[in-house]
């Protein structure tokens, strides 16, 4: 059976975020790419979020206190299914 999952991992919700600080990417994008690139198995959405969140929050370049978010996208038919990232 297929169950819909409608969740979003964002760089900072409705607060301003930094566009730089991660080399050629933002701090958020750099952290996201790093976590996905080092994943060697199956990574669930909340685990991906926790790792990216920790990296962004602890970055010495995060001058504005950027806080990534992970939540259900409201009114899109989310049925609570988990989302998985699988290394290729």
């Amino acid at each position: 059976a297929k169950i819909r999952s409608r969740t979003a991992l964002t760089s900072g919700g409705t607060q301003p975020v930094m566009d730089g600080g991660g080399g050629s990417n933002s701090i958020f994008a750099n952290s996201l790419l790093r976590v996905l690139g080092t994943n060697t198995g199956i990574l669930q959405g909340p685990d991906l979020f926790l790792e990216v969140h920790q990296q962004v929050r602890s970055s010495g370049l995060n001058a504005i206190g950027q806080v990534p978010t992970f939540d259900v996208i409201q009114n899109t038919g989310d049925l609570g299914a988990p989302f998985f990232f699988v290394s290729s």
Side-chain angles (χ1 to χ4, degrees):
K2 293 184 180 183
I3 301 174
R4 285 184 280 196
S5 178
R6 303 290 188 265
T7 54
L9 171 60
T10 69
S11 59
T14 60
Q15 301 301 315
V17 298
M18 294 180 59
D19 287 332
S24 60
N25 296 305
S26 67
I27 294 172
F28 172 79
N30 191 51
S31 297
L32 177 62
L33 292 170
R34 184 181 312 122
V35 173
L36 290 173
T38 58
N39 178 39
T40 59
I42 299 173
L43 186 62
Q44 290 192 40
D47 297 326
L48 171 67
F49 165 70
L50 290 174
E51 187 61 33
V52 170
H53 182 270
Q54 187 231 358
Q55 288 185 24
V56 170
R57 296 290 291 156
S58 66
S59 172
L61 301 171
N62 188 1
I64 62 171
Q66 182 173 336
V67 181
T69 64
F70 181 76
D71 206 352
V72 170
I73 302 171
Q74 298 297 316
N75 303 315
T76 60
D78 178 77
L79 297 175
F83 196 91
F84 298 96
F85 296 86
V86 181
S87 64
S88 57

Coordinates of all heavy atoms in Angstrom, one line a residue:
A1 N 0.8 -1.2 0.0 CA 0.0 0.0 0.0 C 0.9 1.2 0.0 O 1.9 1.3 0.7 CB -0.9 0.0 1.2
K2 N 0.5 2.2 -0.7 CA 1.2 3.5 -0.8 C 0.5 4.5 0.1 O -0.7 4.7 0.0 CB 1.3 4.0 -2.2 CG 2.2 3.1 -3.1 CD 2.3 3.7 -4.4 CE 3.2 2.8 -5.3 NZ 3.4 3.4 -6.6
I3 N 1.3 5.1 1.0 CA 0.8 6.2 1.9 C 1.5 7.4 1.6 O 2.7 7.4 1.5 CB 1.0 5.8 3.4 CG1 0.2 4.5 3.7 CG2 0.4 6.9 4.2 CD1 0.5 3.9 5.0
R4 N 0.8 8.5 1.4 CA 1.4 9.8 1.0 C 2.2 10.4 2.1 O 1.7 10.4 3.3 CB 0.4 10.8 0.5 CG -0.1 10.4 -0.9 CD -1.0 11.5 -1.3 NE -2.3 11.2 -0.7 CZ -3.5 11.7 -1.1 NH1 -3.5 12.6 -2.0 NH2 -4.6 11.3 -0.5
S5 N 3.3 11.0 1.8 CA 4.1 11.8 2.7 C 4.4 13.1 2.1 O 4.8 13.2 1.0 CB 5.5 11.1 3.0 OG 6.3 11.9 3.9
R6 N 4.0 14.2 2.8 CA 4.1 15.5 2.3 C 4.8 16.3 3.4 O 4.1 17.0 4.3 CB 2.8 16.2 2.0 CG 2.0 15.4 1.0 CD 2.6 15.5 -0.4 NE 1.8 14.9 -1.5 CZ 1.8 13.7 -1.9 NH1 2.7 12.8 -1.4 NH2 1.1 13.2 -2.9
T7 N 6.1 16.3 3.5 CA 6.9 17.0 4.5 C 7.9 17.9 3.8 O 8.3 17.7 2.6 CB 7.6 16.1 5.4 OG1 8.4 15.2 4.6 CG2 6.7 15.3 6.3
A8 N 8.3 19.0 4.5 CA 9.3 19.9 3.9 C 10.5 20.1 4.9 O 10.3 20.2 6.1 CB 8.7 21.2 3.7
L9 N 11.7 20.1 4.4 CA 12.9 20.4 5.1 C 13.3 21.7 4.5 O 13.6 21.8 3.3 CB 13.9 19.3 4.9 CG 15.4 19.6 5.4 CD1 15.3 19.8 6.9 CD2 16.3 18.5 5.0
T10 N 13.2 22.8 5.3 CA 13.5 24.1 4.8 C 14.7 24.7 5.5 O 15.1 24.3 6.6 CB 12.3 25.1 5.0 OG1 12.2 25.3 6.4 CG2 11.1 24.5 4.4
S11 N 15.3 25.7 4.9 CA 16.5 26.4 5.4 C 16.2 27.3 6.6 O 17.2 27.6 7.4 CB 17.2 27.1 4.4 OG 16.4 28.1 3.8
G12 N 15.0 27.6 6.8 CA 14.7 28.5 8.0 C 13.3 29.0 8.2 O 13.1 30.0 8.8
G13 N 12.4 28.2 7.7 CA 11.0 28.6 7.9 C 10.7 30.0 7.3 O 11.0 30.3 6.2
T14 N 10.0 30.8 8.1 CA 9.7 32.2 7.6 C 10.7 33.2 8.0 O 10.5 34.4 7.8 CB 8.3 32.6 8.2 OG1 8.4 32.6 9.6 CG2 7.2 31.6 7.7
Q15 N 11.8 32.8 8.7 CA 12.8 33.7 9.1 C 13.9 33.9 8.0 O 14.1 33.0 7.2 CB 13.5 33.2 10.4 CG 12.6 33.0 11.6 CD 11.9 34.3 12.0 OE1 12.5 35.3 12.1 NE2 10.6 34.2 12.2
P16 N 14.6 35.1 8.0 CA 15.6 35.3 7.0 C 16.7 34.2 7.2 O 17.0 33.7 8.3 CB 16.2 36.7 7.4 CG 15.1 37.3 8.2 CD 14.4 36.2 8.9
V17 N 17.3 33.9 6.1 CA 18.4 32.9 6.1 C 19.6 33.4 5.3 O 19.5 34.3 4.5 CB 18.0 31.5 5.5 CG1 16.9 30.9 6.3 CG2 17.6 31.7 4.0
M18 N 20.8 32.9 5.6 CA 22.0 33.3 4.9 C 22.1 32.6 3.5 O 21.8 31.4 3.4 CB 23.2 32.9 5.7 CG 23.3 33.7 7.1 SD 24.7 33.2 8.0 CE 26.0 33.7 6.9
D19 N 22.5 33.4 2.5 CA 22.6 32.8 1.2 C 24.0 32.2 1.0 O 24.2 31.5 0.1 CB 22.4 33.9 0.1 CG 20.9 34.3 0.0 OD1 20.1 33.4 0.3 OD2 20.7 35.4 -0.4
G20 N 25.0 32.6 1.8 CA 26.4 32.2 1.6 C 26.8 31.4 2.9 O 26.1 31.0 3.7
G21 N 28.1 31.3 3.0 CA 28.7 30.7 4.1 C 29.1 29.2 4.0 O 29.7 28.7 4.9
G22 N 28.7 28.6 2.9 CA 28.9 27.2 2.7 C 29.7 26.9 1.5 O 29.4 26.0 0.7
G23 N 30.7 27.8 1.2 CA 31.5 27.6 0.0 C 30.7 28.2 -1.2 O 30.2 29.3 -1.1
S24 N 30.4 27.4 -2.2 CA 29.6 27.9 -3.3 C 28.1 27.7 -3.0 O 27.3 28.0 -3.9 CB 30.0 27.1 -4.6 OG 29.8 25.7 -4.4
N25 N 27.8 27.2 -1.9 CA 26.4 27.1 -1.5 C 26.1 27.8 -0.2 O 27.0 28.3 0.5 CB 26.0 25.6 -1.3 CG 26.1 24.8 -2.5 OD1 25.5 25.1 -3.5 ND2 26.9 23.7 -2.5
S26 N 24.8 27.8 0.2 CA 24.5 28.3 1.6 C 24.9 27.3 2.6 O 25.3 26.2 2.3 CB 23.0 28.6 1.7 OG 22.3 27.3 1.6
I27 N 24.9 27.8 3.9 CA 25.3 26.9 5.0 C 24.3 25.7 5.0 O 24.7 24.5 5.1 CB 25.2 27.6 6.3 CG1 26.2 28.7 6.4 CG2 25.3 26.6 7.5 CD1 26.1 29.6 7.7
F28 N 23.0 26.0 4.8 CA 22.0 24.9 4.8 C 22.3 23.9 3.6 O 22.3 22.7 3.8 CB 20.6 25.5 4.6 CG 19.5 24.5 4.4 CD1 19.0 23.8 5.5 CD2 19.0 24.3 3.1 CE1 18.0 22.8 5.3 CE2 18.0 23.4 2.9 CZ 17.5 22.6 4.0
A29 N 22.4 24.4 2.4 CA 22.6 23.5 1.2 C 23.9 22.7 1.4 O 23.9 21.5 1.1 CB 22.6 24.3 0.0
N30 N 25.0 23.4 1.9 CA 26.2 22.7 2.1 C 26.0 21.5 3.1 O 26.5 20.4 2.9 CB 27.3 23.6 2.6 CG 28.7 23.0 2.6 OD1 29.1 22.5 1.6 ND2 29.4 23.2 3.7
S31 N 25.3 21.8 4.2 CA 25.1 20.7 5.2 C 24.2 19.6 4.7 O 24.5 18.4 4.9 CB 24.4 21.3 6.4 OG 25.2 22.3 7.1
L32 N 23.2 20.0 3.9 CA 22.3 19.0 3.3 C 23.1 18.1 2.4 O 23.0 16.8 2.4 CB 21.1 19.6 2.6 CG 20.2 18.7 1.9 CD1 19.5 17.8 2.8 CD2 19.2 19.6 1.1
L33 N 23.9 18.7 1.5 CA 24.7 17.9 0.5 C 25.7 17.0 1.2 O 26.0 15.9 0.8 CB 25.4 18.8 -0.5 CG 24.4 19.5 -1.4 CD1 25.2 20.6 -2.2 CD2 23.7 18.6 -2.3
R34 N 26.3 17.5 2.3 CA 27.3 16.7 3.1 C 26.6 15.5 3.7 O 27.2 14.4 3.6 CB 27.9 17.6 4.1 CG 29.0 16.9 4.9 CD 29.7 17.7 6.0 NE 30.1 19.0 5.5 CZ 29.6 20.2 6.1 NH1 28.8 20.1 7.1 NH2 30.0 21.3 5.6
V35 N 25.5 15.7 4.3 CA 24.8 14.6 5.0 C 24.4 13.5 4.0 O 24.6 12.3 4.2 CB 23.6 15.1 5.8 CG1 22.8 13.9 6.4 CG2 24.1 16.0 7.0
L36 N 23.8 14.0 2.9 CA 23.3 13.0 1.9 C 24.5 12.3 1.2 O 24.5 11.2 0.9 CB 22.5 13.8 0.8 CG 21.1 14.2 1.2 CD1 20.5 15.1 0.1 CD2 20.2 13.1 1.6
G37 N 25.6 13.1 1.0 CA 26.8 12.5 0.4 C 27.5 11.5 1.2 O 28.2 10.6 0.7
T38 N 27.4 11.6 2.5 CA 28.1 10.6 3.4 C 27.2 9.5 3.9 O 27.6 8.6 4.5 CB 28.7 11.3 4.6 OG1 27.6 12.0 5.3 CG2 29.8 12.3 4.2
N39 N 25.9 9.6 3.5 CA 25.0 8.5 3.8 C 25.3 7.2 3.1 O 25.5 7.2 1.9 CB 23.5 8.9 3.5 CG 22.5 7.9 3.8 OD1 22.6 7.2 4.8 ND2 21.5 7.7 2.9
T40 N 25.4 6.1 3.8 CA 25.8 4.8 3.2 C 24.7 3.8 3.4 O 24.8 2.7 3.0 CB 27.0 4.2 3.9 OG1 26.8 4.1 5.3 CG2 28.2 5.1 3.6
G41 N 23.5 4.2 3.9 CA 22.4 3.3 4.1 C 21.1 3.9 3.8 O 20.9 4.7 2.8
I42 N 20.2 3.7 4.7 CA 18.8 4.3 4.6 C 18.7 5.3 5.7 O 19.0 5.1 6.9 CB 17.7 3.2 4.8 CG1 17.8 2.1 3.7 CG2 16.4 3.8 4.8 CD1 16.9 0.9 3.9
L43 N 18.3 6.5 5.3 CA 18.2 7.7 6.2 C 16.8 8.2 6.2 O 16.3 8.5 5.1 CB 19.2 8.8 5.7 CG 19.4 10.0 6.6 CD1 20.0 9.6 7.9 CD2 20.3 11.0 5.8
Q44 N 16.2 8.2 7.3 CA 14.8 8.7 7.4 C 14.8 10.2 7.5 O 15.8 10.8 7.9 CB 14.1 8.1 8.7 CG 13.8 6.7 8.6 CD 12.9 6.2 9.7 OE1 11.9 6.9 10.1 NE2 13.2 5.0 10.2
G45 N 13.7 10.8 7.0 CA 13.6 12.3 7.0 C 13.9 12.9 8.3 O 14.7 13.9 8.3
P46 N 13.4 12.5 9.4 CA 13.7 13.2 10.7 C 15.2 13.1 11.0 O 15.7 14.0 11.6 CB 12.8 12.4 11.7 CG 11.7 11.9 10.9 CD 12.3 11.5 9.6
D47 N 15.8 12.0 10.7 CA 17.2 11.8 11.0 C 18.1 12.7 10.1 O 19.1 13.3 10.6 CB 17.7 10.4 10.8 CG 17.0 9.4 11.8 OD1 16.7 9.8 12.9 OD2 16.7 8.3 11.4
L48 N 17.7 12.9 8.9 CA 18.3 13.8 8.0 C 18.2 15.2 8.5 O 19.2 16.0 8.6 CB 17.7 13.8 6.6 CG 18.2 14.8 5.6 CD1 19.6 14.7 5.2 CD2 17.3 14.8 4.3
F49 N 17.0 15.6 8.9 CA 16.8 16.9 9.5 C 17.6 17.1 10.8 O 18.3 18.2 10.9 CB 15.3 17.1 9.9 CG 15.1 18.3 10.8 CD1 15.2 19.5 10.4 CD2 14.8 18.1 12.2 CE1 15.0 20.6 11.2 CE2 14.6 19.1 13.0 CZ 14.7 20.4 12.5
L50 N 17.7 16.2 11.7 CA 18.5 16.4 12.9 C 19.9 16.6 12.6 O 20.6 17.5 13.2 CB 18.3 15.2 13.8 CG 16.9 15.0 14.5 CD1 16.9 13.7 15.2 CD2 16.6 16.2 15.4
E51 N 20.5 15.9 11.7 CA 21.9 16.1 11.3 C 22.1 17.4 10.6 O 23.1 18.1 11.0 CB 22.4 14.9 10.4 CG 23.8 14.9 10.1 CD 24.7 14.8 11.3 OE1 24.3 14.1 12.3 OE2 25.8 15.4 11.4
V52 N 21.3 17.8 9.7 CA 21.4 19.1 9.0 C 21.2 20.2 10.0 O 22.0 21.2 10.0 CB 20.4 19.2 7.8 CG1 20.4 20.6 7.3 CG2 20.8 18.2 6.7
H53 N 20.2 20.1 10.8 CA 19.9 21.1 11.8 C 21.1 21.4 12.7 O 21.5 22.5 13.0 CB 18.7 20.7 12.7 CG 18.3 21.6 13.7 ND1 18.8 21.6 15.0 CD2 17.4 22.7 13.7 CE1 18.2 22.6 15.7 NE2 17.4 23.2 14.9
Q54 N 21.7 20.3 13.2 CA 22.9 20.4 14.1 C 24.0 21.1 13.4 O 24.7 21.9 14.0 CB 23.3 19.0 14.6 CG 24.3 19.1 15.7 CD 25.5 18.2 15.4 OE1 25.6 17.5 14.4 NE2 26.5 18.3 16.2
Q55 N 24.3 20.7 12.2 CA 25.4 21.3 11.4 C 25.2 22.8 11.2 O 26.1 23.6 11.3 CB 25.6 20.5 10.1 CG 26.2 19.2 10.3 CD 26.6 18.5 9.0 OE1 26.8 19.2 8.0 NE2 26.6 17.2 9.0
V56 N 24.0 23.1 10.8 CA 23.7 24.6 10.5 C 23.8 25.4 11.8 O 24.4 26.4 11.9 CB 22.3 24.7 9.9 CG1 21.9 26.2 9.8 CG2 22.3 24.1 8.5
R57 N 23.2 24.9 12.9 CA 23.2 25.6 14.1 C 24.6 25.8 14.7 O 24.9 26.8 15.4 CB 22.2 24.9 15.2 CG 20.8 24.9 14.8 CD 20.1 26.3 14.8 NE 20.0 26.7 16.2 CZ 19.9 27.9 16.6 NH1 19.9 28.9 15.8 NH2 19.8 28.2 17.9
S58 N 25.4 24.8 14.5 CA 26.7 24.8 15.2 C 27.8 25.5 14.3 O 28.9 25.6 14.7 CB 27.2 23.4 15.5 OG 27.4 22.6 14.4
S59 N 27.4 25.8 13.1 CA 28.4 26.5 12.1 C 28.8 27.8 12.7 O 28.0 28.6 13.1 CB 27.7 26.6 10.8 OG 28.6 27.4 9.9
G60 N 30.1 28.0 12.7 CA 30.6 29.3 13.1 C 30.3 30.4 12.1 O 30.4 31.6 12.4
L61 N 29.8 30.1 11.0 CA 29.4 31.0 9.9 C 27.9 31.4 10.0 O 27.5 32.3 9.3 CB 29.7 30.5 8.5 CG 31.2 30.1 8.3 CD1 31.3 29.4 7.0 CD2 32.1 31.3 8.3
N62 N 27.2 30.8 10.9 CA 25.8 31.1 11.1 C 25.6 32.4 11.9 O 25.1 32.3 13.1 CB 25.1 29.9 11.7 CG 23.6 30.0 11.7 OD1 23.0 31.0 11.3 ND2 22.9 29.0 12.3
A63 N 25.8 33.5 11.4 CA 25.8 34.8 12.1 C 24.4 35.2 12.5 O 24.3 36.0 13.4 CB 26.5 35.8 11.2
I64 N 23.4 34.7 11.9 CA 22.1 35.3 12.2 C 21.2 34.2 12.9 O 20.0 34.5 13.2 CB 21.3 35.7 10.9 CG1 21.1 34.5 9.9 CG2 22.0 36.8 10.2 CD1 20.2 34.8 8.8
G65 N 21.8 33.1 13.4 CA 21.1 32.2 14.1 C 20.0 31.4 13.3 O 18.9 31.1 13.8
Q66 N 20.4 31.1 12.1 CA 19.5 30.4 11.2 C 19.1 29.0 11.8 O 19.9 28.3 12.3 CB 20.2 30.2 9.8 CG 19.4 29.5 8.8 CD 20.2 29.5 7.5 OE1 21.0 30.3 7.2 NE2 19.8 28.5 6.6
V67 N 17.8 28.7 11.7 CA 17.2 27.5 12.2 C 16.4 26.7 11.2 O 15.3 27.1 10.9 CB 16.3 27.8 13.5 CG1 15.8 26.5 14.1 CG2 17.1 28.6 14.5
P68 N 17.0 25.6 10.6 CA 16.2 24.8 9.7 C 15.0 24.2 10.3 O 14.9 24.1 11.5 CB 17.2 23.7 9.3 CG 18.5 24.3 9.6 CD 18.3 25.1 10.8
T69 N 14.0 23.9 9.5 CA 12.7 23.3 10.0 C 12.4 22.1 9.2 O 12.8 21.9 8.0 CB 11.5 24.3 9.9 OG1 11.3 24.6 8.5 CG2 11.8 25.6 10.6
F70 N 11.6 21.2 9.8 CA 11.1 20.0 9.2 C 9.7 19.8 9.7 O 9.5 19.6 10.9 CB 12.0 18.8 9.5 CG 11.6 17.5 8.9 CD1 11.9 17.3 7.6 CD2 11.0 16.5 9.6 CE1 11.6 16.0 7.0 CE2 10.7 15.3 9.1 CZ 11.0 15.1 7.7
D71 N 8.7 19.8 8.8 CA 7.4 19.6 9.2 C 6.5 19.2 8.1 O 6.8 19.3 6.9 CB 6.9 21.0 9.8 CG 5.8 20.8 10.8 OD1 5.3 19.7 11.0 OD2 5.4 21.8 11.4
V72 N 5.3 18.8 8.4 CA 4.3 18.4 7.5 C 3.8 19.6 6.7 O 3.7 20.7 7.3 CB 3.1 17.8 8.2 CG1 1.9 17.6 7.3 CG2 3.5 16.5 8.8
I73 N 3.6 19.5 5.4 CA 3.1 20.6 4.6 C 1.6 20.5 4.7 O 0.9 19.5 4.3 CB 3.5 20.4 3.1 CG1 5.0 20.4 3.0 CG2 2.9 21.6 2.3 CD1 5.5 20.1 1.6
Q74 N 1.0 21.5 5.3 CA -0.4 21.5 5.7 C -1.3 21.5 4.4 O -0.9 22.1 3.4 CB -0.7 22.8 6.5 CG 0.0 22.8 7.8 CD -0.4 21.6 8.8 OE1 -1.6 21.3 8.9 NE2 0.6 21.0 9.4
N75 N -2.4 20.8 4.5 CA -3.5 20.8 3.5 C -3.0 20.2 2.2 O -3.4 20.7 1.1 CB -4.0 22.2 3.3 CG -4.6 22.8 4.6 OD1 -5.3 22.1 5.3 ND2 -4.2 24.0 4.9
T76 N -2.1 19.2 2.2 CA -1.6 18.6 1.0 C -1.9 17.1 0.9 O -1.4 16.5 0.0 CB -0.1 18.8 0.8 OG1 0.6 18.2 2.0 CG2 0.3 20.3 0.7
G77 N -2.6 16.6 1.9 CA -2.9 15.2 1.9 C -1.9 14.3 2.5 O -1.9 13.1 2.3
D78 N -1.0 14.9 3.4 CA -0.1 14.0 4.1 C -0.8 13.0 5.0 O -1.7 13.3 5.7 CB 0.8 14.9 5.0 CG 1.8 14.1 5.8 OD1 2.8 13.6 5.2 OD2 1.6 13.8 7.0
L79 N -0.4 11.8 4.9 CA -1.0 10.7 5.7 C 0.0 10.1 6.7 O -0.3 9.0 7.2 CB -1.5 9.6 4.7 CG -2.6 10.0 3.8 CD1 -3.0 8.9 2.8 CD2 -3.8 10.5 4.5
G80 N 1.1 10.8 6.9 CA 2.0 10.4 8.0 C 3.0 9.4 7.6 O 3.7 8.8 8.5
A81 N 3.2 9.1 6.4 CA 4.2 8.1 6.0 C 5.6 8.6 6.1 O 5.8 9.8 5.9 CB 3.9 7.7 4.5
P82 N 6.5 7.7 6.5 CA 7.9 8.2 6.6 C 8.5 8.4 5.2 O 8.0 7.8 4.2 CB 8.6 7.0 7.3 CG 7.8 5.8 7.0 CD 6.4 6.3 6.8
F83 N 9.5 9.2 5.2 CA 10.2 9.5 3.9 C 11.7 9.0 4.1 O 12.3 9.3 5.1 CB 10.2 11.0 3.6 CG 10.6 11.3 2.2 CD1 9.6 11.4 1.2 CD2 11.9 11.5 1.8 CE1 9.9 11.7 -0.1 CE2 12.2 11.8 0.5 CZ 11.2 11.9 -0.4
F84 N 12.2 8.2 3.1 CA 13.5 7.7 3.2 C 14.4 8.2 2.1 O 14.0 8.3 1.0 CB 13.4 6.1 3.1 CG 12.6 5.5 4.2 CD1 11.3 5.2 4.0 CD2 13.2 5.2 5.4 CE1 10.5 4.6 5.0 CE2 12.4 4.6 6.4 CZ 11.1 4.3 6.2
F85 N 15.7 8.4 2.5 CA 16.7 8.7 1.5 C 17.6 7.5 1.5 O 18.2 7.0 2.5 CB 17.5 9.9 2.0 CG 16.7 11.1 2.0 CD1 15.9 11.5 3.1 CD2 16.6 12.0 0.9 CE1 15.1 12.6 3.1 CE2 15.8 13.1 0.9 CZ 15.1 13.4 2.0
V86 N 17.8 6.9 0.3 CA 18.6 5.7 0.2 C 19.9 6.0 -0.7 O 19.7 6.6 -1.8 CB 17.8 4.5 -0.5 CG1 18.6 3.3 -0.6 CG2 16.6 4.3 0.3
S87 N 21.0 5.6 -0.2 CA 22.3 5.9 -0.9 C 22.3 5.1 -2.2 O 21.7 4.0 -2.3 CB 23.5 5.6 -0.1 OG 23.6 4.2 0.2
S88 N 22.9 5.6 -3.2 CA 23.0 4.9 -4.5 C 24.3 4.4 -4.8 O 25.3 4.8 -4.2 CB 22.5 5.8 -5.6 OG 23.3 7.0 -5.7

